[in-house]
Amino acid sequence: MSMNNAPNVFSDPNANRFQVNIINEGHDDNETAQEDVGSDPPHYEETSFTDETQNRLRISYRPGKRELYDNFLQNAEKTEASLHPYDTHTKMYYLQTFGHNTMDPVPKIDYYRNTGSVSGNKLNRPSLLEIHEQLAKNIAVSTGSVERMANGESTAGEETAASKEEENKAGFVKFGWVKGVLVRCMLNIWGVMLFIRLSWIVGQAGIGLGVIIILLATMVTSITGLSTSAIATNGFVRGGGAYYLISRSLGPEFGGSIGLIFAFANAVAVAMYVVGFAETVVELLKESDTLIVDESNDIRIIGTITVVCLLGITAAGMEWEAKAQVILLIVLLVAIANFFIGTVIPTNTEKKARGFFNYQASIFAENFGPDFRSGEGFFSVFAIFFPAATGILAGANISGDLKDPQSAIPQGTMLAILITTIAYIAVAICAASCVVRDATGNINDTIVPGMSCNGSSACGLGYDFSRCASQPCDYGLMNNFQVMSMVSGFGPLITAGIFSATLSSALASLVSAPKVFQALCKDNVYKGLEFFAKGYGKNNEPIRGYVLTFVIAMAFILIAELNTIAPIISNFFLASYALINFSCFHASYAKSPGWRPAFRYYNMWVSLFGALLCCGVMFVINWWAALITYAIELFLYIYVTYKKPEVNWGSSTQALYFVNALDSALALTTVEDHVKNFRPQCITLTGAPMIRPALLDITHTFTKNNGLCICCEVFTGPRKLCVKEMNSGMEKKQAWLTKNKRKAFYAAVAADSFRDGVKSLLQASGLGRMKPNTLVIGFKKDWRSAPATQIENYVGIIHDAFDFELGVIIVRISQGFDISQVLQVQEELEKLEQERLALEATIKENDFEEGKRGICGFFKKASTLNISKHETKKESTINTMQSMHVGEFNQKLLEASTQFKKKQGKGTIDIWWLFDDGGLTILIPYILTIRKKWKNCKLRIFTGGKVNRIEEEKLVMASLLSKFRIKFADINIICDINIKPNKESWKFFEEMIEPYRLHESCKDITTAEKLKRETPWKITDAELEAFKEKSYRQVRLNELLQEHSRAANIIVLSLPVARKGAVSDYLYLAWLEILSKNLPPVLLVRGNHKNVLTFYS
């Protein structure tokens, strides 16, 4: 293959580094060399990453090769699963990056997309296996594509353009930061409070404290805005607003609880704003004496008509709603401008009598300080003003309808807070600089010469309002809520502004509630709410959510008494703000590498301060409403935590779990081990955990909530296949443990032999102090038929565990642990059942088509009959399979595999504590008795002793156990352990080991030596004689176990230790076999001869 043109990539000054060349695979070297000599140097084209119209895949080709390249593009299917970059049968081309052939892709955004992304198609980069393994030309790469064959050099522009074209076809409406965020936030923040309460607030608190109240409220919203901006710029933001930001940061528990509260608060807020509008209309009707029925019913009638009209606007689509918002903003801005213009228009006698004197320094000075009345104070006035500052999430709540939420939300939200704060401060200062606190409204209350005055600013301006101190007056900042209408240049414009403020806020809430609720339902955090997740039309409008919001709003409008519910709504909004601030703090504190917000103007401690400030403000506004909010949020949090929705959003909570676990593990390394804190930390050779569930269950019984349990599997064989199988099953097997509520880890290794793999696990498993100290294995039931290498590996593992100073527990049950055959049969039956159901569905579909097509169905009847026959055949096959596997489907094996899951009835745990191993033999059964399933079982202790010292031995053992604080039911001293077993038992043992004996004493020396070399694993006569007493003991122990412990629930027995190099593997397994045969479940336990029990406090 020619690489002669490769250097040109680097020599051409105009070439950029993303060059793609076609290399002809079909030509030999000579032909290629001649072609290179005679042809012009290749021309390279640049691939731009900036201009979307120019970033198509550009490939330069040699003269005369365009036809071949065109054929390649025409013949290649442009799907990710069908391209074969290596084809030995046709003229195929390799694509070249950085001057050489490679499958390595350059960085590209499409590799990082989520599946189903609306902004572009997800591409799969070549796997590490495809790049790392030796290249095979006949292997098809399953995830190839034209873009991928180009090594990622074509940018995402083509896919993005296609996506945008699709969006334009479908009619998606996306808003920029002005119309989508700025306008909405300004309209939602500017409410009725601006026109009818701000003057009263500045009258009570004065200009100085009034500005502080506004700035304090702004501080809460500004910090929340900064936190919102940070979260919104830390990745792509979808629809759902506050719910989406909180749930993706703190997880579904916090997000789900606050999402439901926030959606409900927005729905009820619609009723609040509509009733505010209706009350203003009713006041106008009252002035003109044109009430429809009475005040309360008129509010209900007008409110109902209004909310129906608003619902019509929102149902028409987001585009119409956005146009309505712009119109309402213009009206609002005109009304505010009208007020400022009115302050400089010279006042008249009537307005002076009502307290308006234009800008006066004396009025400013008089109104600068506070004058709290009627029991009001700083915090009560703040509580009345604060709802006027809310509404900063109006833009974020429609994040799914924004063109670029990451830039729109920070820009629009922060600018809206700035503009509205300036407007609030300006209106407050202007109103307090022009209007006195109290005025009578009587034009005759002027000062005449010689008349005494109280020294107020009004006196200096020629008016005497002193009687307001003794009797109520109707005008002035403290008494008249319509100060802005009086001051303005044209009063009806202020009324229009009130209408605009109420309707715009109602419209924003009517859009926000369904959008947030739809996002919540799509995530299926609350089961049963999927009905409201469905969207309609080009913008995926939540019509069902609109109807639900309409119903909630109507219910509260008809009640027409919102004074009680209003503080709760304010607290609901504040709870959302608090969690957004806490989300920003939490994500920063967790120090996850994934927390990389593009918005840099935030601080984690400022966000935490903002969260605490929001919580404080909640109690300032209304303490009982704050408690109700916390109670509802806690209930929803517990509910979502209990249900555990199957979502994984990479929340900061997960990151903090990791950080805390890491810190705890590191802190644990500085703590020295102490015998009082010893707990069994087990490495269990289960293989795949579902294959040997009983072994896992008994281990889990004494490690659950108490110690470490690692289920281990060793893969042996060709390394490539082993590693592939191991990697593909890791998550599945850990998931099985989690699903079956087994508090255990899964670990696997690939090794040349089983023993090597276990040796690696014994040395490398665990972390810091959380390292295994006990090996748990099942008894090798098939040792007599297994190859000698397996026996060597099995016994070698026990030796290795002792070498690494681990305790060993060998578990034996009569039926064995491996249920892989049962699982295989079950899997086959399930597959056959699925095929049967599929056939039934096919027949039903054919019957339906036959009835649908009338006479045409007659001609298809034959095929239907064939299917029926086939189905009958299948059913008979299933029945045959089921009957065939009745014997194989070993019911006893299944029952044995679940025996440790069942509650153990009243019985005994028999402990044969024959050798002191540090106490593990007694600790394991004690832990069993404190478990719920084993608590009805009593401990019986069996130990060796002398005939003439039985009572003394009992007292010694009882004293030892009482010092260890271990309760027991009985102590038995066995005096006849060392006598010979009966002849039948010994004969059985000899017959068992006969196939594995060498019998060298019956042969000449040469033959014996040869046999020893050929079969070193066999039991020699010398060995058998040397360990005859020990063999007697194992056989005799089985007789005693049969006599005393046959009815026990489980037997815990000291494990005999085989001295390395002295006891052969087969003799050792024969000991274990004879020791534990024909008994209830047996645990052969041997500690590492270090104390695991102590009687010191």
Side-chain angles (χ1 to χ4, degrees):
M1 179 164 42
S2 172
M3 294 295 290
N4 294 341
N5 62 338
N8 293 327
V9 176
F10 304 99
S11 61
D12 186 354
N14 296 320
N16 85 2
R17 68 189 186 98
F18 298 107
Q19 302 294 339
V20 182
N21 274 13
I22 299 298
I23 309 297
N24 189 341
E25 182 190 13
H27 296 284
D28 57 24
D29 291 344
N30 294 334
E31 182 183 346
T32 308
Q34 290 172 6
E35 183 181 345
D36 286 347
V37 172
S39 63
D40 295 329
H43 298 284
Y44 296 91
E45 294 178 317
E46 293 186 359
T47 302
S48 171
F49 279 78
T50 54
D51 187 354
E52 289 189 356
T53 62
Q54 299 296 326
N55 61 6
R56 306 290 182 182
L57 173 65
R58 296 178 178 178
I59 303 176
S60 61
Y61 44 83
R62 292 184 180 148
K65 296 293 180 278
R66 179 172 188 128
E67 185 179 349
L68 289 172
Y69 171 66
D70 290 341
N71 289 335
F72 157 67
L73 284 182
Q74 289 171 8
N75 295 332
E77 294 179 13
K78 296 184 180 182
T79 61
E80 293 189 6
S82 61
L83 287 177
H84 296 234
Y86 312 107
D87 189 347
T88 57
H89 302 292
T90 60
K91 297 272 186 178
M92 194 61 187
Y93 292 84
Y94 291 99
L95 298 176
Q96 179 176 301
T97 304
F98 303 120
H100 65 279
N101 298 321
T102 177
M103 288 180 65
D104 251 344
V106 295
K108 184 174 182 180
I109 190 172
D110 295 300
Y111 295 128
Y112 298 90
R113 296 191 191 279
N114 284 336
T115 305
S117 172
V118 296
S119 57
N121 298 322
K122 175 179 172 59
L123 295 182
N124 294 321
R125 68 176 64 80
S127 69
L128 188 60
L129 188 67
E130 291 169 351
I131 295 171
H132 185 232
E133 290 295 328
Q134 188 175 0
L135 194 63
K137 292 191 177 184
N138 59 345
I139 294 178
V141 182
S142 61
T143 54
S145 64
V146 171
E147 290 79 12
R148 177 162 155 191
M149 287 182 63
N151 302 305
E153 291 183 18
S154 72
T155 69
E158 191 166 348
E159 291 80 10
T160 306
S163 176
K164 287 183 178 176
E165 185 180 347
E166 184 180 346
E167 286 185 8
N168 292 335
K169 280 183 184 178
F172 283 101
V173 177
K174 297 286 185 180
F175 303 112
W177 71 274
V178 175
K179 191 184 284 188
V181 182
L182 179 65
V183 170
R184 289 175 188 281
C185 288
M186 287 172 63
L187 283 170
N188 227 23
I189 295 171
W190 278 333
V192 173
M193 204 68 67
L194 175 66
F195 296 101
I196 62 177
R197 285 290 185 277
L198 191 57
S199 57
W200 176 85
I201 288 166
V202 77
Q204 289 276 356
I207 295 173
L209 288 182
V211 170
I212 290 174
I213 285 173
I214 295 170
L215 291 177
L216 183 58
T218 303
M219 181 190 295
V220 175
T221 56
S222 297
I223 293 173
T224 307
L226 293 173
S227 299
T228 304
S229 301
I231 298 172
T233 57
N234 189 54
F236 184 74
V237 179
R238 298 187 185 276
Y243 160 71
Y244 186 88
L245 297 177
I246 295 170
S247 63
R248 267 47 176 190
S249 183
L250 288 179
E253 295 85 4
F254 280 108
S257 57
I258 207 64
L260 204 58
I261 289 173
F262 191 68
F264 178 76
N266 273 286
V268 180
V270 174
M272 284 184 61
Y273 296 130
V274 168
V275 168
F277 168 77
E279 283 179 351
T280 309
V281 175
V282 168
E283 285 295 324
L284 293 175
L285 294 176
K286 191 176 175 182
E287 287 178 10
S288 59
D289 198 23
T290 54
L291 290 173
I292 303 170
V293 184
D294 55 53
E295 288 188 33
S296 296
N297 285 314
D298 282 11
I299 289 173
R300 293 186 178 101
I301 293 167
I302 295 168
T304 302
I305 295 170
T306 305
V307 79
V308 168
C309 294
L310 293 176
L311 180 65
I313 293 173
T314 53
M318 289 293 293
E319 197 171 6
W320 283 94
E321 187 266 347
K323 290 176 181 176
Q325 292 279 29
V326 172
I327 294 169
L328 292 172
L329 179 63
I330 292 170
V331 173
L332 197 58
L333 291 173
V334 170
I336 295 171
N338 176 48
F339 165 76
F340 288 118
I341 292 169
T343 59
V344 296
I345 295 175
T347 185
N348 54 36
T349 305
E350 183 181 355
K351 288 186 177 182
K352 283 182 179 180
R354 293 183 178 183
F356 174 50
F357 296 94
N358 293 111
Y359 291 104
Q360 301 292 337
S362 60
I363 296 177
F364 179 87
E366 183 180 74
N367 289 340
F368 190 83
D371 185 15
F372 295 114
R373 302 179 191 175
S374 304
E376 299 291 349
F378 178 83
F379 288 110
S380 63
V381 172
F382 174 78
I384 291 169
F385 172 76
F386 185 78
T390 59
I392 60 170
L393 296 179
N397 286 339
I398 63 158
S399 52
D401 297 297
L402 300 175
K403 289 178 183 175
D404 184 9
Q406 286 186 292
S407 63
I409 291 174
Q411 288 181 46
T413 304
M414 299 310 297
L415 187 57
I417 292 171
L418 178 64
I419 293 171
T420 53
T421 302
I422 292 171
Y424 275 130
I425 293 174
V427 169
I429 293 174
C430 290
S433 301
C434 299
V435 184
V436 296
R437 281 191 167 103
D438 298 293
T440 60
N442 189 348
I443 59 175
N444 296 320
D445 286 342
T446 55
I447 297 176
V448 295
M451 188 176 182
S452 63
C453 191
N454 60 5
S456 66
S457 58
C459 288
L461 296 169
Y463 280 82
D464 180 19
F465 299 142
S466 57
R467 64 188 174 94
C468 290
S470 57
Q471 64 184 51
C473 293
D474 295 330
Y475 297 98
L477 294 176
M478 304 290 281
N479 310 305
N480 183 16
F481 291 152
Q482 302 297 328
V483 166
M484 285 191 72
S485 295
M486 178 189 69
V487 172
S488 65
F490 184 61
L493 276 178
I494 299 298
T495 303
I498 294 172
F499 288 172
S500 174
T502 52
L503 292 177
S504 63
S505 297
L507 199 57
S509 297
L510 188 58
V511 169
S512 297
K515 292 282 185 183
V516 172
F517 193 59
Q518 184 186 35
L520 181 68
C521 296
K522 277 183 177 178
D523 289 335
N524 202 19
V525 174
Y526 296 100
K527 303 293 181 184
L529 295 181
E530 310 94 70
F531 175 79
F532 295 99
K534 185 173 175 60
Y536 296 88
K538 59 187 180 181
N539 256 39
N540 197 32
E541 298 289 349
I543 302 297
R544 295 173 179 178
Y546 287 141
V547 174
L548 179 64
T549 305
F550 171 77
V551 171
I552 295 171
M554 279 298 301
F556 284 95
I557 288 169
L558 294 176
I559 293 170
E561 287 293 334
L562 298 177
N563 291 338
T564 304
I565 200 71
I568 297 179
I569 294 171
S570 295
N571 275 292
F572 281 177
F573 285 123
L574 274 167
S576 305
Y577 297 169
L579 277 180
I580 287 175
N581 284 311
F582 185 71
S583 298
C584 183
F585 163 76
H586 200 271
S588 303
Y589 183 74
K591 297 175 183 175
S592 171
W595 174 250
R596 302 183 302 275
F599 184 82
R600 297 293 180 186
Y601 306 103
Y602 75 95
N603 180 275
M604 60 184 285
W605 300 111
V606 172
S607 295
L608 179 62
F609 172 72
L612 297 174
L613 195 60
C614 289
C615 294
V617 171
M618 288 173 70
F619 280 96
V620 166
I621 290 177
N622 192 304
W623 65 269
W624 58 263
L627 291 177
I628 290 174
T629 305
Y630 286 132
I632 294 172
E633 187 177 332
L634 182 62
F635 170 77
L636 293 173
Y637 178 88
I638 293 171
Y639 173 82
V640 177
T641 304
Y642 176 74
K643 289 296 183 181
K644 290 182 181 175
E646 295 181 2
V647 293
N648 182 12
W649 294 325
S651 65
S652 60
T653 307
Q654 294 172 330
L656 198 61
Y657 282 159
F658 180 84
V659 171
N660 290 339
L662 186 62
D663 290 342
S664 298
L666 288 170
L668 199 60
T669 58
T670 63
V671 179
E672 292 186 11
D673 288 332
H674 194 281
V675 64
K676 285 196 294 186
N677 293 322
F678 176 87
R679 57 198 65 220
Q681 310 213 90
C682 298
I683 186 165
T684 312
L685 300 185
T686 58
M690 63 283 289
I691 298 298
R692 294 177 180 83
L695 184 60
L696 173 59
D697 289 338
I698 189 62
T699 310
H700 190 251
T701 304
F702 49 80
T703 60
K704 181 183 179 183
N705 300 327
N706 189 51
L708 182 70
C709 180
I710 306 176
C711 299
C712 295
E713 185 172 10
V714 177
F715 290 88
T716 58
R719 183 173 181 80
K720 183 178 177 181
L721 294 175
C722 286
V723 171
K724 185 178 180 181
E725 185 182 356
M726 180 179 71
N727 291 339
S728 63
M730 293 285 281
E731 289 186 8
K732 178 185 173 185
K733 289 162 187 174
Q734 184 63 56
W736 185 91
L737 290 169
T738 305
K739 183 182 177 182
N740 288 273
K741 298 181 180 177
R742 297 291 175 266
K743 295 186 177 181
F745 299 96
Y746 172 78
V749 292
D752 295 332
S753 71
F754 182 68
R755 184 178 180 181
D756 288 342
V758 176
K759 200 182 292 185
S760 300
L761 289 166
L762 292 175
Q763 294 177 88
S765 295
L767 185 69
R769 295 288 183 193
M770 293 186 295
K771 291 183 73 69
N773 53 33
T774 307
L775 171 68
V776 181
I777 56 176
F779 179 71
K780 190 166 182 60
K781 194 180 177 186
D782 63 342
W783 66 275
R784 281 184 274 186
S785 59
T789 52
Q790 288 188 16
I791 304 303
E792 183 184 359
N793 282 335
Y794 182 82
V795 178
I797 287 166
I798 300 171
H799 288 310
D800 293 336
F802 289 142
D803 287 343
F804 298 134
E805 296 190 338
L806 270 72
V808 174
I809 300 175
I810 301 176
V811 188
R812 180 174 186 179
I813 58 177
S814 57
Q815 299 296 325
F817 292 105
D818 193 342
I819 62 167
S820 54
Q821 290 184 350
V822 175
L823 295 177
Q824 189 177 354
V825 170
Q826 286 179 338
E827 189 178 344
E828 288 176 6
L829 292 174
E830 285 173 6
K831 285 181 181 177
L832 289 171
E833 179 65 16
Q834 288 174 0
E835 288 181 18
R836 187 182 68 79
L837 293 173
L839 284 167
E840 281 184 358
T842 306
I843 289 171
K844 285 179 182 177
E845 186 180 343
N846 288 340
D847 288 343
F848 175 75
E849 290 293 328
E850 181 183 343
K852 189 176 177 182
R853 298 184 182 181
I855 196 166
C856 295
F858 174 79
F859 297 101
K860 293 193 176 181
K861 197 171 282 186
S863 62
T864 306
L865 287 171
N866 285 337
I867 292 173
S868 300
K869 288 177 182 177
H870 184 59
E871 184 203 17
T872 307
K873 189 175 179 181
K874 274 282 183 185
E875 284 182 350
S876 64
T877 306
I878 293 170
N879 292 331
T880 306
M881 280 287 293
Q882 288 174 335
S883 59
M884 183 176 66
H885 287 295
V886 165
E888 297 177 18
F889 197 89
N890 194 326
Q891 192 62 30
K892 288 185 179 179
L893 183 57
L894 271 182
E895 287 176 3
S897 70
T898 60
Q899 63 180 308
F900 297 124
K901 289 182 183 177
K902 299 172 185 174
K903 186 176 177 64
Q904 304 292 321
K906 288 186 177 181
T908 63
I909 299 174
D910 286 3
I911 306 168
W912 290 70
W913 195 10
L914 305 176
F915 311 107
D916 194 329
D917 59 352
L920 187 65
T921 307
I922 200 77
L923 180 63
I924 293 296
Y926 166 73
I927 294 173
L928 289 180
T929 60
I930 62 175
R931 300 302 185 192
K932 196 178 291 184
K933 291 184 176 70
W934 293 84
K935 67 179 182 180
N936 293 327
C937 294
K938 305 296 183 184
L939 295 183
R940 291 201 305 169
I941 313 297
F942 295 84
T943 187
K946 296 179 181 178
V947 178
N948 58 351
R949 288 180 52 85
I950 290 178
E951 293 304 320
E952 290 86 342
E953 299 283 358
K954 275 189 180 182
L955 287 173
V956 170
M957 180 57 69
S959 174
L960 180 61
L961 294 174
S962 64
K963 285 183 178 180
F964 287 147
R965 302 169 303 283
I966 293 175
K967 293 180 181 180
F968 56 89
D970 192 17
I971 295 177
N972 293 277
I973 306 299
I974 308 299
C975 305
D976 51 352
I977 294 177
N978 291 323
I979 68 171
K980 285 186 180 182
N982 63 50
K983 292 180 180 179
E984 290 78 12
S985 300
W986 182 248
K987 185 180 180 183
F988 177 85
F989 178 77
E990 287 185 322
E991 288 174 353
M992 182 171 60
I993 64 173
E994 180 61 33
Y996 315 107
R997 291 187 61 181
L998 191 64
H999 289 293
E1000 77 278 10
S1001 58
C1002 303
K1003 301 176 178 63
D1004 60 80
I1005 296 174
T1006 307
T1007 307
E1009 290 298 326
K1010 182 181 178 184
L1011 285 172
K1012 281 183 182 179
R1013 287 194 300 272
E1014 291 175 353
T1015 54
W1017 45 268
K1018 283 199 171 185
I1019 305 168
T1020 64
D1021 294 339
E1023 177 192 357
L1024 193 59
E1025 185 62 31
F1027 294 102
K1028 194 168 190 177
E1029 291 298 325
K1030 203 165 185 177
S1031 299
Y1032 279 157
R1033 187 190 307 152
Q1034 313 312 323
V1035 179
R1036 176 59 184 158
L1037 274 173
N1038 182 258
E1039 292 176 352
L1040 293 169
L1041 285 162
Q1042 298 282 353
E1043 179 183 344
H1044 295 283
S1045 298
R1046 189 68 185 267
N1049 293 54
I1050 193 169
I1051 299 170
V1052 181
L1053 175 65
S1054 292
L1055 172 70
V1057 176
R1059 197 172 292 278
K1060 272 198 303 184
V1063 180
S1064 62
D1065 298 339
Y1066 276 93
L1067 180 59
Y1068 184 58
L1069 281 178
W1071 288 350
L1072 301 185
E1073 171 73 35
I1074 197 67
L1075 189 60
S1076 57
K1077 79 180 183 69
N1078 298 331
L1079 290 171
V1082 177
L1083 268 62
L1084 295 161
V1085 180
R1086 175 67 70 151
N1088 63 357
H1089 286 242
K1090 293 180 180 178
N1091 289 348
V1092 300
L1093 293 172
T1094 182
F1095 48 82
Y1096 295 107
S1097 59

